[in-house]
């Protein structure tokens, strides 16, 4: 890039930021990665405050609590700096903000802003949308249909309530003899096992608000089920038996034509003769017998085992086909008729499966909702749904706006590409009267601001739809122009983060049509500009690791779940760890910083958490490289929590010898191998009685005293006190000494769970241990503040973060393409009364309607997979290393590595 071109790009990039931050009009910002989206938000809020807007009239909505905290910290730091800055420094800062010299009044106001925002009742209103909706419903509980003392439950508590709802529904079906519910449960029992039932109900629960909306739009569950049948082309009285019977009666088929085909086939090969006999036998029966043999004997003549039409030679060989063309024509017509009948039978099976699923699912969701109402509880999805219903209700919106501290004048939306359609409805309702009236002139216009990058929309599992960002922006722009108010659409393309080499690689990858599919809602080409012209950068593509030729002499007693050191993913983990270790040992220079590479400069990204993440952490630790560990862990999988649970289990069941040995060997007792062997070897009975018997021996006395203390406390202490006592008496120090500082977060989360449990349950140790092991609580660690350690993260977890050096390690795997046993949501229809739900249960039952929905879902999944690659590549500032591992098969052309 020439000096002139760079200057132009910098001027355009800075100009775009200044335009986006100008509070004189509403702005819709589409930005590339690393272009300073957070800075623009902070600049806009700063300018709104400088223009005299009270803090409580500004609402900034962010996607995560971490993003809200980051923005609030930046803004507070800026306002605090302004309050203490000398004259020239303040003037310089305001010039950079405005793109012009500030007035004396603006400088005086800048010095007062920090104190004014501190004194404001709610301070700076920078919140997640869930937090805002919770506060909104808390102020208008009766209008929202909620109890004034409602509480918000997390996913763990919601899962508990869903289990309680399931048990109540099962009990109702068993004791109250609810025939419809019983029939539906029996139908489902013939389709799925216990795990399959839990999976499909979990999926139905994830879409429960869509289901509620559909039931409301149809006026009941029955009409919704009927809509699904109509979409499948079925009448109300169509059943499997009636369809086969109708297909088997005289007149339903061309009897004369098929008789001619029988004669023609009889003169052919042995296969033709067998086919002739099958058709003739079916034709010779009465309609009732024909119906009984239609699927098992007759349909296979025309269809394959997958119920697809046979090829031409599979119906009639060449010689009789050429000799009797009319017979072949009759065979082809009958093949199409049989195929249509089988397709209709699939549709009937789907309708029956869907009917059973929705009967049981509606009962479960209704019971779940009643349990929440009984306890005055709402979950996170309820917050959005009820806030949207509150704001969309005619006659209420003005009252709600009036009571919101006199109204909201400016709404700002961060990470707008991750906003779901129902969340957009909340935002549009909040800004509902910003553009009301035609040609209404106002001195201080109320504004809507959104900034996002649809290329980084990777949260579809939370309802995000990248197209909504563009569609909502277009709709808001039309309303603003109709009201003759200022509307700016700003493109921010200048990256301040990545070196040119990385951005050139990103542009090159996504210049190909297959790779760019789904990145932008209007199919705009991906183009980046950069501010770091001339700075060193590196993109390196490593050969994939492949399986080695292995011998067949594996030991017969090797653990089934053991990962071989020769497996490709383990070898790749070692290669990455060796590379990082080499940099550190050789003081390799990070050119852009003029210093050696440090562990904190490195981020290793994976697509999903799995074995590789564990292996790379282990490999780095083996080489004494500081590593922050994974960004998320299942609480009960962490060794510190496992040690605490083992201590609790011993207090409840000391006769469990394996668990007792675990506690003795663990950090709370620290018995060595030899002492434990001497205690356990050749004992007469259980391990704990043996320890009691030998408690006078100096080698065993401390261990006995410690375990006896645990047993004594279990009868008198609730869970929180029990585990607090363990940690307070040296347990925490011992855990951290054995497992490192990273064990502190899981231990703290475990202790927080003991308090959560005791608030809503009888404080029983046995119940708590069952509860915590059953809940699979995840601990999310903030690796942004990890300091000088290598970060191992998923791409989802790394969104919003960056690193000097990034390894893309998991580039060969693909998202799951099989959508069997999945609910098909027909929720894209414009009219609410036309939307539907279908559930094939098995892939063999798939027909055109459900197959079309499944194909659309597969395409959407693959588009998000490509957007995830864009996010992963743009995390890198200076160096990007692309690597991966594969099995025996060749890589799919659609994978990241290709």
């Amino acid at each position: 890039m020439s000096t002139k071109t760079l200057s132009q790009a910098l001027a355009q990039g800075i100009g775009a930021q200044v335009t986006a931050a100008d509070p004189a009009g509403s702005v819709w910002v589409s930005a590339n990665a690393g272009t300073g989206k957070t800075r623009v938000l902070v600049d806009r809020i700063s300018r709104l405050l400088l223009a005299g807007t009270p803090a409580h009239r500004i609402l900034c909505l962010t996607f995560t609590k971490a993003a809200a905290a980051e923005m609030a910290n930046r803004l507070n730091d800026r306002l605090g700096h302004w309050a203490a800055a000398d004259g020239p420094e303040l003037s310089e800062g305001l010039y950079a903000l405005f793109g012009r010299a500030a007035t004396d009044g603006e400088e005086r106001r800048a010095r007062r802003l920090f104190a004014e925002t501190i004194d404001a009742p709610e301070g700076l209103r920078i919140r997640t949308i869930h937090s805002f909706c919770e506060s909104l419903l808390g102020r208008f509980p009766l209008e929202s249909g909620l109890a004034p003392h409602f509480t918000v439950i997390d996913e763990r508590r919601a899962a508990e309530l869903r289990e309680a709802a399931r048990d109540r529904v099962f009990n109702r079906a068993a004791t109250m003899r609810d025939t419809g519910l019983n029939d539906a449960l029996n139908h489902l029992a013939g389709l799925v096992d216990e795990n399959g039932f839990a999976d499909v109900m979990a999926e139905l629960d994830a879409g429960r608000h869509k289901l509620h909306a559909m039931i409301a739009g149809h006026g009941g569950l029955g009409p919704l089920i009927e809509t699904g049948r109509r979409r499948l082309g079925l009448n109300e009285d169509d059943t499997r038996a009636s369809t086969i019977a109708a297909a088997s009666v005289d007149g339903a088929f061309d009897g004369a034509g098929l008789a001619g085909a029988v004669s023609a086939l009889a003169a052919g090969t042995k296969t033709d003769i067998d086919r002739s006999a099958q058709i003739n036998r079916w034709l010779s029966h009465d309609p009732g017998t024909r119906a009984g043999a239609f699927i098992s004997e007759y349909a296979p003549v025309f269809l394959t085992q997958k119920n697809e039409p046979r090829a031409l030679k599979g119906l009639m060989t060449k010689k009789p086909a050429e000799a009797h063309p009319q017979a072949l024509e009759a065979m082809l017509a009958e093949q199409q008729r049989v195929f249509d009948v089988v397709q209709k039978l699939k549709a009937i099976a789907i309708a029956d499966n869907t009917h059973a699923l929705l009967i049981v699912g509606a009962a479960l969701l209704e019971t779940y909702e009643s349990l929440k109402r009984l306890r005055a509880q709402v979950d996170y999805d309820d917050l959005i749904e009820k806030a949207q219903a509150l704001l969309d209700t005619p006659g209420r919106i003005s009252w709600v706006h009036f009571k919101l501290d006199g109204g909201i004048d400016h709404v700002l939306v961060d990470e707008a590409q991750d906003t779901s359609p129902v969340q957009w409805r909340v935002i549009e309702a909040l800004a509902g009267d910003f553009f009301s009236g035609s040609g209404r002139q106002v001195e201080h216009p109320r504004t809507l601001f959104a900034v996002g990058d649809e290329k980084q929309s990777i949260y579809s599992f939370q309802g995000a739809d990248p197209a909504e960002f563009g569609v909502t922006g277009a709709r808001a722009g039309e309303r603003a122009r109709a009201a003759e108010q200022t509307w700016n659409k700003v493109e921010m393309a200048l990256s301040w983060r990545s070196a040119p080499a990385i951005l050139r690689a990103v542009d090159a990858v996504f210049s190909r049509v297959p790779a760019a599919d789904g990145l932008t809602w209007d199919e705009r080409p991906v183009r980046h500009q950069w501010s770091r012209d001339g700075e060193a950068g590196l993109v390196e593509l490593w050969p994939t690791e492949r399986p080695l030729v292995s011998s067949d002499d594996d030991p017969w007693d090797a653990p089934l779940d053991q990962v071989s050191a020769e497996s490709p993913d383990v070898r790749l983990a070692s290669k990455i760890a060796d590379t990082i270790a080499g940099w550190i040992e050789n003081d390799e220079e990070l050119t852009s910083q003029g210093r050696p590479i440090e562990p904190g400069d490195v981020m290793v990204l994976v697509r999903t958490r799995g074995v590789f993440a564990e292996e790379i952490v282990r490999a780095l630790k083996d080489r004494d490289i500081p590593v922050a560990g994974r960004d998320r862990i299942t609480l009960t999988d962490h060794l510190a929590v496992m040690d605490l649970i083992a201590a609790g289990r011993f207090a409840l069941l000391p006769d469990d010898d394996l668990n007792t040995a675990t506690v003795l060997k663990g950090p709370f007792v620290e018995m060595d191998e030899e002492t434990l062997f001497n205690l356990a070897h050749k004992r007469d009975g259980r391990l704990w009685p043996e320890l009691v018997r030998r408690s006078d021996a100096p080698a065993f006395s401390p261990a006995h005293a410690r375990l006896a203390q645990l047993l004594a406390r279990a009868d008198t202490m609730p869970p929180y006190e029990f585990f607090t006592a363990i940690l307070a008496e040296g347990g925490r120090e011992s855990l951290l000494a054995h497992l490192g500082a990273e064990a502190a977060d899981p231990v703290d989360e475990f202790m927080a769970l003991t308090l959560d449990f005791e608030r809503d349950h009888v404080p029983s140790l046995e119940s708590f241990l069952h509860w915590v092991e059953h809940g699979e609580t995840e601990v999310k660690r903030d690796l942004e503040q990890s300091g000088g350690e290598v970060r191992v993260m998923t791409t989802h977890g790394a969104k919003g973060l960056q690193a000097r050096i990034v390894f893309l390690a998991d580039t060969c795997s693909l998202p799951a393409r099989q959508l069997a046993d999945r609910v098909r949501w027909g929720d894209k229809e414009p009219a609410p009364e036309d939307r539907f739900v279908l559930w094939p249960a098995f892939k063999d039952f798939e027909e055109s309607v459900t197959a079309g929905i499944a194909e659309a879902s597969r395409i959407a999944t693959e588009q998000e997979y490509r957007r995830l690659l864009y996010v992963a590549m743009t995390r890198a500032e200076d160096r990007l290393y692309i690597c991966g591992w594969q099995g025996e098969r060749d890589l799919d052309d659609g994978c990241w590595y290709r």
Side-chain angles (χ1 to χ4, degrees):
M1 189 182 293
S2 67
T3 303
K4 182 179 179 181
T5 305
L6 176 61
S7 299
Q8 291 174 341
L10 288 171
Q12 289 174 356
I14 295 171
Q17 289 187 337
V18 172
T19 302
D22 186 354
S26 296
V27 182
W28 210 262
V29 182
S30 180
N32 287 336
T35 54
K37 295 187 287 293
T38 303
R39 173 172 178 166
V40 167
L41 275 162
V42 172
D43 285 353
R44 187 175 179 89
I45 296 173
S46 301
R47 293 184 64 172
L48 284 168
L49 293 171
L50 286 167
T53 305
H56 68 264
R57 288 182 175 269
I58 302 170
L59 175 64
C60 183
L61 300 174
T62 66
F63 189 63
T64 64
K65 293 179 182 178
E70 168 70 12
M71 198 179 306
N73 288 337
R74 285 199 197 187
L75 198 52
N76 282 320
D77 288 346
R78 170 178 285 181
L79 299 184
H81 179 72
W82 284 351
D86 57 30
E89 187 178 5
L90 177 60
S91 298
E92 185 179 344
L94 292 178
Y95 187 91
L97 177 63
F98 288 117
R100 59 168 175 81
T103 65
D104 292 341
E106 287 169 337
E107 289 194 5
R108 286 194 299 271
R109 179 152 180 79
R111 294 192 183 279
R112 297 197 306 267
L113 281 178
F114 183 73
E116 288 181 4
T117 55
I118 290 294
D119 292 338
E122 294 185 68
L124 295 166
R125 299 173 65 182
I126 302 173
R127 301 179 175 179
T128 66
I129 191 165
H130 288 94
S131 172
F132 169 74
C133 289
E134 181 180 356
S135 67
L136 177 66
L137 297 175
R139 300 187 66 175
F140 304 98
L142 299 181
E143 293 88 342
S144 307
L146 294 172
H149 60 288
F150 77 87
T151 57
V152 182
I153 56 175
D154 59 15
E155 186 52 41
R156 165 188 279 279
R157 197 68 49 80
E160 277 189 82
L161 285 184
R162 287 193 290 268
E163 285 190 10
R166 179 200 63 193
D167 294 343
R168 289 195 178 196
V169 168
F170 287 171
N171 184 62
R172 187 177 101 196
T175 59
M176 298 180 66
R177 304 196 181 281
D178 186 329
T179 305
L181 188 57
N182 261 323
D183 291 345
L185 281 169
N186 288 334
H187 186 91
L188 292 180
L191 297 173
V192 293
D193 59 14
E194 182 180 0
N195 292 331
F197 177 80
D199 290 343
V200 72
M201 285 302 160
E203 187 175 356
L204 203 63
D205 176 74
R208 65 183 178 279
H209 292 301
K210 285 193 291 187
L211 181 58
H212 287 158
M214 286 184 186
I215 293 174
H218 287 79
L221 182 62
L224 172 61
I225 294 173
E226 285 305 313
T227 299
R229 290 182 65 88
R230 285 197 303 273
R231 287 305 300 264
L232 292 168
L234 301 176
N235 296 319
E236 187 177 349
D237 55 353
D238 281 335
T239 65
R240 179 181 175 86
S242 68
T243 300
I244 295 176
S248 303
V249 298
D250 295 332
F253 50 86
D254 181 5
L258 287 175
V262 168
S263 299
L265 288 167
T269 64
K270 182 180 183 305
T271 303
D272 289 326
I273 294 171
D274 291 341
R275 194 171 293 119
S276 171
Q278 283 179 278
I279 298 173
N280 189 51
R281 186 164 55 250
W282 188 80
L283 290 173
S284 64
H285 289 312
D286 61 87
T289 307
R290 284 186 207 141
F294 185 89
I295 295 298
S296 60
E297 297 180 18
Y298 187 61
V301 174
F302 302 93
L303 307 179
T304 66
Q305 287 185 339
K306 293 184 177 180
N307 285 322
E308 297 293 333
R310 292 187 181 278
L312 192 62
K313 63 180 180 180
L315 289 179
M316 184 179 289
T317 56
K318 184 176 181 180
K319 186 175 180 180
E322 291 177 348
H324 305 279
Q326 290 181 334
L328 177 60
E329 186 177 339
M331 287 286 286
L332 289 171
E334 182 66 359
Q335 181 185 55
Q336 184 61 49
R337 187 185 79 90
V338 171
F339 178 73
D340 290 342
V341 171
V342 171
Q343 290 299 105
K344 186 173 183 179
L345 292 176
K346 287 183 178 182
I348 290 170
I350 293 172
D352 292 343
N353 297 343
T354 304
H355 183 274
L357 177 71
L358 291 181
I359 290 292
V360 176
L364 284 170
L365 296 181
E366 180 184 348
T367 306
Y368 173 60
E369 293 298 326
S370 68
L371 288 174
K372 285 191 296 182
R373 284 194 301 270
L374 184 65
R375 293 164 170 79
Q377 296 174 332
V378 295
D379 58 30
Y380 289 118
D381 289 338
D382 292 331
L383 293 174
I384 305 297
E385 182 191 41
K386 292 187 179 297
Q388 188 256 336
L390 172 68
L391 292 173
D392 274 355
T393 303
R396 287 184 183 170
I397 185 165
S398 297
W399 166 252
V400 171
H401 278 171
F402 177 76
K403 294 294 289 182
L404 284 173
D405 291 329
I408 297 172
D409 288 344
H410 304 277
V411 175
L412 300 90
V413 185
D414 185 23
E415 298 289 359
Q417 76 280 347
D418 293 322
T419 305
S420 69
V422 68
Q423 290 170 351
W424 276 123
R425 302 294 85 79
V426 172
I427 293 166
E428 288 185 299
L430 284 172
D433 56 353
F434 284 14
F435 314 117
S436 59
S438 178
R440 182 167 65 95
Q441 298 298 318
V442 290
E443 183 180 356
H444 299 292
R446 304 168 75 184
T447 64
L448 175 63
F449 172 91
V451 58
D453 179 5
E454 62 263 43
K455 301 186 296 299
Q456 297 188 64
S457 180
I458 56 174
Y459 289 98
S460 65
F461 59 89
Q462 294 182 358
D465 183 351
E468 282 291 319
F469 174 59
V471 171
T472 306
R475 188 162 54 234
E478 290 175 2
R479 295 187 62 196
R481 287 188 289 270
E484 298 183 14
Q485 294 189 24
T486 303
W487 176 266
N488 289 316
K489 187 174 180 181
V490 177
E491 302 276 345
M492 289 171 49
L494 182 68
S495 172
W496 306 88
R497 174 190 298 161
S498 301
I502 293 170
L503 295 178
R504 286 194 190 99
V506 173
D507 286 350
V509 166
F510 294 106
S511 65
R512 298 172 56 248
V513 173
D517 179 32
L519 249 69
T520 57
W521 77 283
D522 54 358
E523 299 184 358
R524 287 179 293 110
V526 178
R527 296 286 185 273
H528 291 81
Q529 296 174 334
W530 48 84
S531 63
R532 298 177 56 188
D533 198 54
E535 292 193 26
L538 171 70
V539 179
E540 194 166 288
L541 183 69
W542 291 3
T544 59
E545 295 292 331
R546 295 172 175 267
L548 300 176
V549 178
S550 59
S551 60
D552 296 329
D553 58 351
D554 291 336
W556 65 269
D557 58 348
L560 295 176
D561 59 351
Q562 177 176 316
V563 180
S564 169
E566 299 302 320
S567 65
D569 51 342
V570 175
R571 286 188 284 113
L572 177 60
S574 297
K575 183 177 179 180
I576 293 173
D578 286 338
T579 301
I580 298 171
W583 292 338
I584 296 171
E585 290 170 6
N586 298 323
D587 289 331
E588 178 156 341
E589 184 181 10
L590 188 61
T591 309
S592 67
Q593 300 299 299
R595 60 167 173 79
I597 292 174
E598 300 170 355
D601 294 324
V602 181
M603 178 187 290
V604 181
L605 293 182
V606 294
R607 200 173 65 82
T608 58
R609 299 175 185 89
V611 173
F612 179 81
E614 300 282 359
E615 288 298 327
I616 187 66
V617 170
R618 182 194 59 76
L620 291 168
K621 287 184 176 180
D622 286 348
R623 291 157 180 79
D624 294 325
I625 298 172
V627 57
R630 294 178 297 159
D631 56 337
R632 289 194 184 206
I633 57 172
T634 301
L635 189 65
T636 50
D637 287 348
H638 196 278
L639 286 174
V641 174
M642 294 169 72
D643 283 325
L644 288 166
I645 290 175
R649 285 286 172 212
F650 169 79
L652 295 169
L653 187 63
D655 285 345
D656 182 344
D657 286 348
L658 179 59
N659 185 73
T660 301
T662 299
V663 177
L664 289 171
K665 189 76 170 54
F668 306 134
V669 178
E670 297 183 314
M671 183 178 283
D672 59 56
E673 289 276 1
E674 184 178 357
T675 305
L676 180 58
F677 180 82
N678 291 336
L679 175 65
H681 188 54
K682 294 185 178 180
R683 67 186 189 277
D684 293 331
R686 299 288 184 186
L687 195 59
W688 168 243
E690 182 69 15
L691 182 60
V692 172
R693 189 177 67 80
R694 302 170 66 178
S695 61
D696 292 337
F700 303 121
S701 179
H704 172 264
R706 185 71 169 131
L707 296 191
Q709 189 179 48
L710 293 180
L711 282 174
R713 288 172 174 168
D715 295 331
T716 59
M717 286 186 174
Y720 178 75
E721 291 183 28
F722 178 83
F723 290 109
T724 297
I726 293 176
L727 294 174
E729 294 167 352
R732 176 180 288 273
E733 289 77 5
S734 183
L735 285 172
L736 297 183
H738 281 79
L739 302 173
E742 69 181 57
D745 287 343
V747 170
D748 292 342
E749 181 67 23
F750 180 83
M751 295 307 299
L753 286 179
T754 61
L755 290 175
D756 284 347
F757 175 81
E758 291 181 16
R759 272 192 283 268
D760 296 317
H761 302 79
V762 176
S764 155
L765 184 59
E766 172 65 37
S767 297
F768 169 73
L769 292 178
H770 171 76
W771 181 78
V772 77
E773 290 177 312
H774 189 63
E776 295 187 352
T777 301
E778 272 196 340
V779 178
K780 183 178 180 180
R781 305 176 61 225
D782 184 9
L783 297 191
E784 188 174 6
Q785 309 298 330
S786 62
E789 299 172 314
V790 176
R791 291 172 285 177
V792 180
M793 310 182 71
T794 63
T795 306
H796 280 93
K799 189 168 177 292
L801 305 181
Q802 59 198 53
R804 292 288 173 186
I805 302 171
V806 170
F807 285 89
L808 293 193
D810 182 7
T811 60
C812 300
S813 62
L814 290 166
R817 291 185 173 181
Q818 297 300 320
L819 296 173
D821 302 333
R822 294 286 301 273
V823 177
R824 308 285 193 257
W825 297 96
D827 59 340
K828 303 300 182 185
E829 302 294 331
E833 63 272 14
D834 292 335
R835 294 167 190 165
F836 59 93
V837 184
L838 296 173
W839 182 52
F842 300 114
K843 189 176 180 181
D844 289 345
F845 289 164
E846 204 81 77
E847 54 78 64
S848 59
V849 175
T850 57
I853 297 174
E855 178 65 11
S857 178
R858 182 190 65 78
I859 291 172
T861 298
E862 292 182 355
Q863 288 176 338
E864 183 170 78
Y865 174 73
R866 291 187 280 273
R867 293 195 294 272
L868 196 65
L869 173 59
Y870 175 84
V871 172
M873 293 183 72
T874 54
R875 297 312 93 195
E877 297 179 51
D878 295 339
R879 298 189 187 184
L880 177 63
Y881 294 88
I882 300 166
C883 43
W885 71 91
Q886 65 182 98
E888 298 290 347
R889 296 181 180 179
D890 289 337
L891 294 179
D892 190 286
D893 286 339
C895 75
W896 284 2
Y897 191 87
R898 288 294 192 205

